[in-house]
Amino acid sequence: MPQDAPPNGSAQDPVPEGPWSRVAGMQAKLHRWAAADPGRRFDDLYNLVHDPATLLMAFERVAGNKGANTPGVDGITAAWVEQEVGVPGFLEDLRAVLKDGSFRPLPVRERLIPKPGGSGKLRKLGIPRIADRVVQAALKLVLEPIFEADFEPCSYGFRPMRRAQDAIAEIHFYGTRGYEWVLDADIEAAFDNCSHSAVMDRVRARVKDKRVLALVKAFLKAGVLTELGEHRDTLTGTPQGGLCSAEHKPPYAQCRVMRSAGIPVLVVAGSAGERCA
């Protein structure tokens, strides 16, 4: 097994043998190759997505999520899979449709929830079915170490082993060194207005496996089933709630632009916290 550091360079205990060891080794290799060659485009990634170890780790992540028992449009939950179907059989069937190219994501189930702050506005959440969440998680396991190599150190949003508290600690660090202002900025309706073509261009810059590209595009175009039971196409944007929504909106370009202007900047969960002297 490769002894590379994990994508963010933090120490990690020895990985036990088994599926996680296989996936961790795969991720370490992909990250090392991506970091060594910023212009490299990766092929033959699809086999890694439907590898039995990847799918098993993906299911465990989905089942361990607090939304695991919130069903998508098919009404199936992770608990139902475990109790009624069995995880091995479920993943075997899922792997078969991925391998033969017949897998198609279903529309996400839309839920409207109040936005924080008491403004009365609603936020749209999109809840994929369990099978789609597992495939999204498998995609994330394969693609994340590649794109991690391209992120700026100032970016803290949606990244492994990074959190908003780390960004706050860095703000405190700069605050004791002459910086006095913090600007909290946000991109209005960023998920709703995300350009599919721009997302795909970003992915193609690092990925040339046509099957993986088609799978990412299929999730973007899966559509939405509204609370009124109406189907709505997704021509732009990516629904919040799926595992891939954060992966579809990398903010590091924003960070690079501001840094090039001499402005220290942090990007946290899609927002930019700008520290001005």
Side-chain angles (χ1 to χ4, degrees), residues 203-221:
V203 178
R204 288 191 194 96
R206 277 301 207 169
V207 176
K208 63 179 179 180
D209 188 323
K210 293 183 179 179
R211 296 167 298 176
V212 170
L213 294 172
L215 194 54
V216 173
K217 186 174 182 178
F219 278 116
L220 288 171
K221 299 294 186 184

Side-chain angles (χ1 to χ4, degrees), residues 16-264:
E17 293 298 324
W20 175 238
S21 175
R22 180 183 177 92
V23 172
M26 172 268 291
Q27 290 183 311
K29 286 182 179 180
L30 290 173
H31 182 261
R32 185 178 71 239
W33 295 336
D37 184 359
R40 179 170 181 169
R41 297 180 68 221
F42 288 79
D43 202 357
D44 200 24
L45 295 176
Y46 194 73
N47 291 332
L48 300 177
V49 173
H50 65 64
D51 183 275
T54 307
L55 290 177
L56 179 58
M57 292 302 97
F59 182 85
E60 289 188 0
R61 289 194 173 190
V62 169
N65 189 284
K66 63 181 180 181
N69 290 317
T70 303
V73 295
D74 60 359
I76 294 176
T77 64
W80 186 89
V81 170
E82 293 170 333
Q83 297 167 10
E84 302 295 332
V85 179
V87 175
F90 173 80
L91 294 181
E92 184 178 339
D93 291 344
L94 185 57
R95 183 168 188 255
V97 295
L98 284 168
K99 287 184 68 175
D100 67 22
S102 62
F103 174 82
R104 297 291 184 275
L106 294 182
V108 299
R109 182 168 70 89
E110 185 178 81
R111 278 192 63 193
L112 301 178
I113 63 171
K115 285 189 174 183
S119 65
K121 295 181 179 180
L122 297 176
R123 171 176 291 148
K124 297 178 182 178
L125 291 184
I127 305 169
R129 62 171 177 161
I130 288 294
D132 292 345
R133 277 181 252 180
V134 172
V135 177
Q136 287 185 7
L139 271 171
K140 186 173 185 287
L141 287 170
V142 174
L143 295 180
E144 186 172 66
I146 296 172
F147 288 97
E148 265 292 302
D150 297 335
F151 273 77
E152 294 281 348
C154 64
S155 178
Y156 288 87
F158 304 118
R159 296 183 64 188
M161 299 179 70
R162 285 184 170 228
R163 54 184 186 165
Q165 287 84 347
D166 298 324
I168 293 171
E170 190 168 348
I171 290 173
H172 282 298
F173 173 83
Y174 278 92
T176 61
R177 284 160 176 79
Y179 292 91
E180 299 178 353
W181 295 89
V182 175
L183 174 63
D184 182 11
D186 189 24
I187 301 173
E188 183 178 3
F191 285 98
D192 295 337
N193 298 320
C194 183
S195 166
H196 291 179
S197 60
V199 169
M200 294 306 302
D201 285 345
R202 285 287 182 89
V203 178
R204 288 191 194 96
R206 277 301 207 169
V207 176
K208 63 179 179 180
D209 188 323
K210 293 183 179 179
R211 296 167 298 176
V212 170
L213 294 172
L215 194 54
V216 173
K217 186 174 182 178
F219 278 116
L220 288 171
K221 299 294 186 184
V224 173
L225 186 67
T226 70
E227 290 186 330
L228 299 177
E230 300 171 347
H231 181 272
R232 186 175 70 244
D233 292 333
T234 45
L235 303 178
T236 61
T238 175
Q240 296 186 60
L243 288 168
C244 281
S245 57
E247 301 305 303
H248 290 154
K249 198 174 66 67
Y252 56 84
Q254 176 187 19
C255 179
R256 286 176 175 168
V257 170
M258 298 182 77
R259 273 197 182 278
S260 68
I263 302 171

